[in-house]
Amino acid sequence: MTMQTGETAALTVSRLTKTFDVSAPWLNRVVERKPRQLLQAVDDVSFSVPAGGCLAIVGESGCGKSTVARLVTGLYRPSAGDLNFANGRDGKTLRAQMIFQDPYASLNPRWSVKNIIAEPLRELKLRTGAAEITERVEELLRIVGLSPSDGEKYPHEFSGGQRQRISIARALASEPEFLVCDEPTSALDVSVQAQVLNLMRELQDRLGLTYLFISHDMSVVHHMSDRVAVMYLGRIVEEGDTEEIFARPLHPYTQLLLQTIPNVRTPNRDREPANGEVPSPLNPPSGCTFHPRCPLATARCSSEAPQIRTSSSGARIACHMVDVEE
Ligand SMILES: Nc1ncnc2c1ncn2[C@@H]1O[C@H](COP(=O)(O)OP(=O)(O)O)[C@@H](O)[C@H]1O
Ligand SMILES: [Mg+2]
């Protein structure tokens, strides 16, 4: 559906849905006569990630990006829909690893860096014997631009960017072919961000990795991805080749996101998108959920949800106001 001919998909996701039960406790519901409350965080989402490529998922906070990441890595079970991983180089189902936004929270502060990186090696029995493990840990530290002596230190002795390098080394220790990166550089300063992103690109080429890359930042997405899926309130509203989306964004939401790319000359300008914010998924707007913020909205947009359509060029878009050559 989203594939170019000749490409194989590392991951195909079909009609993925995740509903959270956010009801008050049973007794409160009975006493206060409140109904059960369900929150649709991901709603009928389909995409595929080309092997060796990078698909970015972009959208403002609360759009369901992290929930997709957690579904893909198996941290959550889908409420509906399917996830299909291709077979990896060893003939078994591809192994996916996740890199989180906050490396401090994902690294055990009481363990030395060497032990943190060695854990997956021991767990998966990828290396046995102290000498082999040490050798591999040192190699992984070098791969991410740290020095072998850093293995003796603890996470708090490093800067944010270095800590993210440690989490990357740890993720690579299990020899994954697929990495799910959830806002991996959002907590870092801009200059450090660029260094870590460049490292991730270099590793992708060198190790033949496939990335599902999640970000709220269009400039990061432009730098990293071959394809982009734009999410709004749990749904994909537009998906296509990165260059195409940046040159000709079709969906009004994609256009809104592009307006928020910071201008280098006015870096301190408020970067929050105009026209209000993402509504609560507990009480989503009728019809097209973007209609209250959309400059093009008509009566039809507030009553009828647009279906996602695929154009002859392979782009997908869900908007009543955009003509799609099918
Ligand atoms: N474990 C959970 N339980 C209940 N609601 C959740 C849970 N995880 C996420 N949500 C809700 O789902 C929506 C999407 O969240 P999330 O996937 O974290 O979005 P994003 O990563 O794009 O900011 C939000 O409204 C959030 O509050
Ligand atoms: Mg998130």
Side-chain angles (χ1 to χ4, degrees):
M1 165 201 334
T2 62
M3 306 292 300
Q4 309 287 311
T5 42
E7 279 179 349
T8 48
L11 168 66
T12 308
V13 167
S14 321
R15 313 209 64 172
L16 194 63
T17 294
K18 181 67 185 176
T19 308
F20 292 111
D21 186 341
V22 292
S23 312
W26 174 80
L27 190 61
N28 297 37
R29 285 212 312 276
V30 173
V31 174
E32 296 165 29
R33 294 172 193 269
K34 279 191 182 153
R36 189 172 279 281
Q37 257 198 318
L38 299 177
L39 183 152
Q40 188 101 326
V42 175
D43 184 5
D44 198 9
V45 159
S46 301
F47 59 83
S48 59
V49 189
C54 176
L55 171 77
I57 299 185
V58 69
E60 290 158 280
S61 179
C63 285
K65 306 181 299 295
S66 293
T67 304
V68 170
R70 287 167 172 268
L71 288 163
V72 167
T73 45
L75 292 170
Y76 289 152
R77 290 162 68 103
S79 308
D82 293 309
L83 290 157
N84 279 300
F85 282 99
N87 286 342
R89 289 176 205 121
D90 59 2
K92 296 186 204 134
T93 303
L94 272 184
R95 242 201 312 271
Q97 273 292 326
M98 188 144 159
I99 297 175
F100 296 90
Q101 172 174 349
D102 180 0
Y104 208 48
S106 58
L107 300 173
N108 189 331
R110 283 184 292 273
W111 284 21
S112 69
V113 166
K114 181 181 167 180
N115 275 325
I116 288 172
I117 300 174
E119 190 195 21
L121 299 174
R122 296 198 179 100
E123 191 99 340
L124 298 166
K125 299 191 172 58
L126 293 168
R127 293 291 188 285
T128 48
E132 263 196 45
I133 289 177
T134 302
E135 193 186 335
R136 179 64 175 151
V137 168
E138 291 183 354
E139 184 185 20
L140 286 162
L141 284 168
R142 272 192 222 100
I143 287 178
V144 298
L146 295 171
S147 90
S149 61
D150 287 329
E152 305 304 327
K153 300 186 197 160
Y154 288 79
H156 71 264
E157 297 178 67
F158 294 88
S159 68
Q162 287 170 325
R163 282 203 289 265
Q164 198 54 294
R165 288 173 192 264
I166 297 166
S167 355
I168 294 170
R170 186 183 191 280
L172 294 178
S174 63
E175 294 173 18
E177 288 167 66
F178 194 105
L179 285 184
V180 177
C181 316
D182 189 1
E183 309 255 13
T185 61
S186 300
L188 306 176
D189 290 341
V190 177
S191 60
V192 180
Q193 219 184 92
Q195 291 163 13
V196 175
L197 292 173
N198 286 338
L199 169 70
M200 293 184 74
R201 286 204 65 148
E202 191 190 303
L203 292 172
Q204 186 185 16
D205 289 344
R206 185 157 149 200
L207 305 173
L209 301 171
T210 302
Y211 285 162
L212 177 63
F213 192 93
I214 288 167
S215 180
H216 67 278
D217 184 332
M218 285 299 251
S219 49
V220 168
V221 163
H222 195 195
H223 186 66
M224 291 300 292
S225 66
D226 316 306
R227 283 187 79 82
V228 183
V230 181
M231 273 186 87
Y232 191 72
L233 269 188
R235 289 180 155 253
I236 291 181
V237 296
E238 180 166 8
E239 198 231 316
D241 282 335
T242 304
E243 290 312 323
E244 192 60 30
I245 292 234
F246 278 78
R248 272 171 295 279
L250 296 176
H251 199 286
Y253 183 56
T254 313
Q255 293 170 359
L256 181 73
L257 288 178
L258 280 168
Q259 285 162 17
T260 65
I261 291 188
N263 184 324
V264 275
R265 270 160 298 177
T266 55
N268 294 327
R269 222 190 58 195
D270 188 3
R271 286 169 57 188
E272 288 304 305
N275 291 339
E277 46 190 44
V278 185
S280 163
L282 273 177
N283 188 15
S286 60
C288 171
T289 56
F290 185 60
H291 88 262
R293 298 174 71 188
C294 182
L296 307 179
T298 63
R300 182 182 180 201
C301 303
S302 53
S303 61
E304 188 189 329
Q307 295 299 309
I308 195 156
R309 293 168 298 158
T310 306
S311 76
S312 51
S313 67
R316 294 192 303 156
I317 178 134
C319 177
H320 293 309
M321 303 310 288
V322 175
D323 284 328
V324 175
E325 275 178 51
E326 284 178 86

